[in-house]
Amino acid sequence: MSDVFTTRVLNITSGSTEKVVDITGDCESFLRESAAGRDGLLNVFVPHATAGIAVLETGAGSDDDLLAALHTLLPADDRWQHRHGSPGHGRDHVLPALVPPHATLPVLNGRLELGTWQSVCLVDTNKDNPNRQVRLSFFG
């Protein structure tokens, strides 16, 4: 692997319910191996049309609040023109416009520079696809 650019793919099973999956630990583990104390950028990308990456607080209810807000903004009903899959699945295809499929984060001295309560999360509202990939790429 190049010492300038390194990448890894995470395989995540998100299940059959709407979910926010904290992948901060996976990002930190990847950086311990690839960044080796260097500065750079971590890019987190989910190559799916129905999932996103968010940086938010988890464990204090914010992850559930995000799902509730998305359910309010993007209800799972029959208003969507994209109609295959579960009822309301069209909303899952609109999700990446609100929760983008990527985030680029600073890395200093080989460590992810997040705020005190920030976590890196996969946001998945698509109950039809429980298997996701997340690509982590470090550019040092």
Side-chain angles (χ1 to χ4, degrees), residues 27 34 55-56 101 125 133 135:
C27 294
S34 62
V55 177
L56 75 154
T125 59
Q133 291 186 335
R135 178 174 297 279

Side-chain angles (χ1 to χ4, degrees), residues 17-19 50-52 67 70-71 74 89 91-93 95 123-128 132:
T17 60
E18 299 173 359
K19 195 170 284 187
T50 59
L67 292 175
L70 290 171
H71 205 272
L74 305 171
H89 174 65
R91 77 184 189 116
D92 300 325
H93 288 273
L95 173 77
V123 179
D124 190 357
T125 59
N126 183 355
K127 298 184 262 185
D128 294 339
R132 298 300 186 160

Side-chain angles (χ1 to χ4, degrees), residues 20-25 27-28 54-60 62 103-106 112-121:
V20 175
V21 180
D22 188 339
I23 59 170
T24 309
C27 294
E28 291 169 339
V55 177
L56 75 154
E57 178 181 3
T58 59
S62 297
T104 301
L105 305 164
L112 192 55
E113 280 295 304
L114 293 173
T116 302
W117 302 111
Q118 290 180 317
S119 296
V120 183
C121 299

Side-chain angles (χ1 to χ4, degrees), residues 11-38:
N11 293 299
I12 297 174
T13 301
S14 56
S16 59
T17 60
E18 299 173 359
K19 195 170 284 187
V20 175
V21 180
D22 188 339
I23 59 170
T24 309
D26 295 303
C27 294
E28 291 169 339
S29 175
F30 169 69
L31 289 171
R32 276 192 296 278
E33 297 172 20
S34 62
R38 295 177 293 147

